[in-house]
C-alpha cells in the first residue's frame, strides 16, 4: 500500500524541552548515548549543558564533536567507528541540519556494515533505530524528514539516501541565540521545503494543508524572529514550521529548486538556505504553467492581489516578484540573508555553512564580508534571481 501521509517520529515540543532528554533516554531504556555535535556547540557551552544533564541522570555519554558542513562521508564513517568502539546504544544529535544528517548516517552504520557511501550508492540497509534529534535551527526540518545528505569528497557530489530518526526534542530556546542572518537563512529554507512539497507530483490534499500553513507561518513570523531574537512566540512558531516543513519532505518531496541548490551548494560551498532563496523565484516561474492554481495560492499567501485574468506565466512572475525584492523579504535580501559560520552550533547545519554575505540583487555588488565567496559563484546566484525570463542565461558548467 502506498500511503500518502505518515509521521513516525515521537516528539517533545516546548520551551526548554532539552531538559527532558534524560527522561526520554531513561524511558526508552538507553544508557550510553553518542552525542553528535560540532565544535561551536562545545565552545558556546551547549555540549557542556547536555553532558551535565546526562551525568546528573547517571547516564554516560560519548562525544563526537567533529561535525562539518555538508558532512563528508569519511567523517560519518569515523563517527560510526567511535560509536561501535564505545558500544553506544543510541545517538543524540544536537545541532543543525548537517549535525542531524551526520547522526543519521552514524546511526545507520550502527546496524549496517560498510561505509556510508555504500548505502548512498544503493546498497540496501537493515532497519535501524535509536536516534534522538535536537535541532538548534528553524530551517532544515531534518528531525522529521526521512532522508539525509552526504558529500562524496572525491567527486564533490552531494548524495541523498533514506535515513530517519525515532525521537525529536523541539526546543525553541535553542534557536534564540541565532544571529539575524542565520535566522533568515534557515527560515527561507523552510519556505522552500513547503513550496516544493506543495507543488510536487507527490503532493496530496493532507500534505497540501500542512504546506499552506507552513508558508503562511514563515511569511508571518520570520520577519519577527529576525527583528527580535527574544520574541518567544516568533521563535516557537518558526521552530514548529521548520519541523513541519521537514515532515512534508518525507511525504511529498522537494524538486527543482532543491536540485539546483544542491548542485550550486556542493560546487561553491554556499549556504543551503541562501541558495534555495535564490533558486525559489525561478522555480515558481518555471512550475507555474504546470500548477497555476497552487502557485497562485502561494502568491496570495505572499500578499499578491490577483485580478483573475492572469495567465499562468503572469501568475508565476507575480508570485516570484512578491518573494523577491521589493517583496516580503526586502528587509534581508540586500545583505542579511546568509549565515555566519562559527557563530552558532547551527552554523554546522545545512542552513548555514560559511561566513558569506549576499550580493545586492539590485546592483550585483558584493556586501562586506563576502570575501570567501568567488565572484563566479555570486554571478550564478544573480543569474537565478533576475527579474525577467528574457534576462536569464544558462548557468555555466
Amino acid at each position: 500500500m502506498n500511503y500518502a501521509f505518515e509521521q513516525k517520529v515521537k516528539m517533545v515540543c516546548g520551551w526548554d524541552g532539552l531538559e527532558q532528554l534524560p527522561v526520554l533516554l531513561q524511558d526508552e531504556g538507553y544508557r550510553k548515548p553518542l552525542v553528535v555535535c560540532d565544535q561551536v556547540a562545545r565552545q558556546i557551552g551547549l555540549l557542556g549543558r547536555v553532558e551535565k544533564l546526562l551525568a546528573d541522570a547517571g547516564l554516560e555519554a560519548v562525544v563526537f564533536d567533529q561535525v562539518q558542513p555538508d558532512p563528508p562521508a569519511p567523517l560519518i564513517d569515523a563517527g560510526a567507528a567511535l560509536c561501535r568502539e564505545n558500544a553506544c546504544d543510541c545517538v543524540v544529535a544536537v545541532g543543525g541540519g548537517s549535525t542531524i544528517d551526520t547522526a543519521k548516517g552514524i546511526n545507520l552504520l550502527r546496524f549496517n556494515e560498510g561505509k556510508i557511501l555504500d548505502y548512498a550508492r544503493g546498497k540496501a540497509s537493515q532497519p535501524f533505530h535509536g536516534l534522538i534529534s535536537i535541532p538548534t535551527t528553524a530551517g532544515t526540518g531534518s528531525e522529521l524528514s526521512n532522508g539525509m545528505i552526504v558529500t562524496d569528497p572525491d567527486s564533490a557530489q552531494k548524495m541523498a539516501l533514506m535515513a530517519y530518526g525515532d525521537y525529536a526534542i523541539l526546543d525553541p530556546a535553542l534557536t534564540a541565540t541565532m544571529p539575524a542572518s542565520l535566522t533568515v537563512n534557515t527560515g527561507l529554507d523552510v519556505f522552500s521545503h513547503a513550496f516544493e512539497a506543495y507543488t510536487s507530483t507527490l503532493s496530496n490534499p493532507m500534505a497540501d494543508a500542512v504546506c499552506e500553513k507552513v508558508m503562511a507561518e514563515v511569511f508571518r513570523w520570520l520577519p519577527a524572529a529576525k527583528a527580535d531574537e527574544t520574541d518567544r512566540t516568533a521563535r516557537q512558531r518558526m521552530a514548529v514550521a521548520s519541523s513541519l516543513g521537514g515532515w512534508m519532505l518525507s511525504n511529498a518531496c522537494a524538486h527543482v529548486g532543491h536540485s539546483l541548490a544542491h548542485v550550486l551548494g556542493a560546487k561553491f560551498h554556499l549556504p543551503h538556505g541562501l541558495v534555495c532563496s535564490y533558486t525559489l523565484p525561478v522555480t515558481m516561474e518555471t512550475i507555474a504553467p504546470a500548477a497555476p492554481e497552487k502557485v497562485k495560492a502561494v502568491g496570495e499567501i505572499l500578499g499578491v492581489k490577483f485580478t483573475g485574468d492572469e495567465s499562468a506565466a503572469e501568475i508565476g512572475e507575480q508570485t516570484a516578484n512578491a518573494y523577491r525584492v521589493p517583496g516580503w523579504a526586502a528587509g534581508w535580501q540586500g545583505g542579511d540573508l546568509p549565515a555566519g559560520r562559527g557563530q552558532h552550533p547551527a552554523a554546522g547545519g545545512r542552513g548555514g555553512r560559511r561566513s558569506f554575505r549576499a550580493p545586492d540583487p539590485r546592483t550585483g555588488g558584493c556586501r562586506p564580508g563576502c570575501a570567501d565567496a568567488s565572484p563566479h559563484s555570486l554571478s550564478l546566484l544573480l543569474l537565478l534571481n533576475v527579474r525577467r525570463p528574457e534576462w536569464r542565461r544558462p548557468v555555466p558548467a
Side-chain angles (χ1 to χ4, degrees):
M1 177 64 68
N2 183 22
Y3 293 105
F5 206 68
E6 66 175 349
Q7 206 289 93
K8 298 180 179 179
V9 180
K10 298 177 181 179
M11 294 195 69
V12 175
C13 181
W15 210 265
D16 294 326
L18 179 62
E19 305 293 327
Q20 298 300 312
L21 175 60
V23 178
L24 188 159
L25 294 174
Q26 291 171 334
D27 283 354
E28 300 300 327
Y30 296 123
R31 300 296 303 171
K32 192 174 183 181
L34 177 75
V35 178
V36 178
C37 64
D38 64 10
Q39 282 292 305
V40 181
R42 179 182 291 279
Q43 293 165 9
I44 70 170
L46 178 57
L47 173 59
R49 180 182 169 194
V50 171
E51 289 180 305
K52 185 176 188 307
L53 283 171
L54 297 176
D56 288 350
L59 298 170
E60 179 186 358
V62 178
V63 174
F64 181 72
D65 60 358
Q66 302 301 309
V67 170
Q68 299 174 20
D70 299 326
L75 183 111
I76 294 175
D77 295 338
L82 179 68
C83 189
R84 287 190 292 265
E85 289 168 6
N86 288 275
C88 296
D89 59 5
C90 64
V91 180
V92 176
V94 184
S98 286
T99 295
I100 297 174
D101 279 2
T102 300
K104 284 181 175 181
I106 291 171
N107 196 49
L108 183 154
L109 293 177
R110 281 205 307 132
F111 295 87
N112 294 273
E113 295 182 353
K115 298 181 181 299
I116 195 64
L117 285 182
D118 297 337
Y119 300 94
R121 291 169 178 152
K123 182 179 178 180
S125 62
Q126 298 299 315
F128 46 95
H129 57 81
L131 173 63
I132 301 97
S133 300
I134 307 174
T136 58
T137 69
T140 67
S142 296
E143 64 276 9
L144 290 191
S145 73
N146 62 353
M148 61 167 284
I149 298 294
V150 59
T151 301
D152 180 350
D154 293 332
S155 66
Q157 180 183 8
K158 287 187 180 182
M159 307 177 74
L161 66 154
M162 298 290 289
Y164 43 84
D166 301 279
Y167 312 91
I169 297 177
L170 194 62
D171 183 350
L174 299 180
T175 73
T177 58
M178 288 194 297
S181 58
L182 186 56
T183 296
V184 171
N185 200 12
T186 54
L188 292 178
D189 194 21
V190 179
F191 196 96
S192 292
H193 292 162
F195 176 86
E196 293 183 38
Y198 186 57
T199 52
S200 163
T201 57
L202 297 176
S203 65
N204 61 76
M206 293 188 69
D208 286 351
V210 178
C211 289
E212 289 171 349
K213 180 62 174 178
V214 169
M215 287 183 283
E217 288 287 278
V218 175
F219 181 70
R220 168 65 180 85
W221 294 105
L222 181 55
K226 184 254 185 182
D228 181 5
E229 66 182 27
T230 67
D231 187 332
R232 289 169 61 111
T233 299
R235 290 291 178 183
Q236 180 153 311
R237 299 297 281 261
M238 282 301 303
V240 171
S242 174
S243 287
L244 292 176
W247 179 24
M248 291 305 97
L249 291 180
S250 298
N251 284 274
C253 297
H255 51 73
V256 63
H258 267 63
S259 295
L260 288 168
H262 283 311
V263 171
L264 291 171
K267 187 171 182 63
F268 299 107
H269 305 288
L270 297 170
H272 176 70
L274 168 68
V275 185
C276 283
S277 75
Y278 277 88
T279 61
L280 187 58
V282 71
T283 300
M284 292 172 168
E285 293 172 342
T286 301
I287 207 167
E293 291 304 314
K294 284 194 168 183
V295 175
K296 182 178 180 180
V298 175
E300 290 171 342
I301 289 172
L302 293 172
V304 178
K305 303 297 183 184
F306 294 104
T307 66
D309 297 326
E310 294 86 1
S311 67
E314 289 169 337
I315 288 171
E317 182 178 6
Q318 291 185 42
T319 300
N321 285 339
Y323 183 89
R324 293 183 178 114
V325 176
W328 71 288
W332 48 67
Q333 287 278 23
D336 289 331
L337 183 61
R341 170 68 172 155
Q343 298 172 358
H344 187 271
R350 291 206 304 272
R353 293 193 173 98
R354 298 182 69 181
S355 178
F356 171 82
R357 294 188 69 80
D360 188 330
R362 294 159 293 187
T363 66
C366 184
R367 297 278 180 162
C370 64
D372 65 340
S374 72
H376 186 204
S377 63
L378 300 183
S379 297
L380 290 176
L381 294 176
L382 289 172
L383 285 170
L384 290 168
N385 201 37
V386 295
R387 288 187 174 278
R388 300 183 185 278
E390 62 265 30
W391 292 353
R392 272 185 227 122
R393 299 289 184 272
V395 176

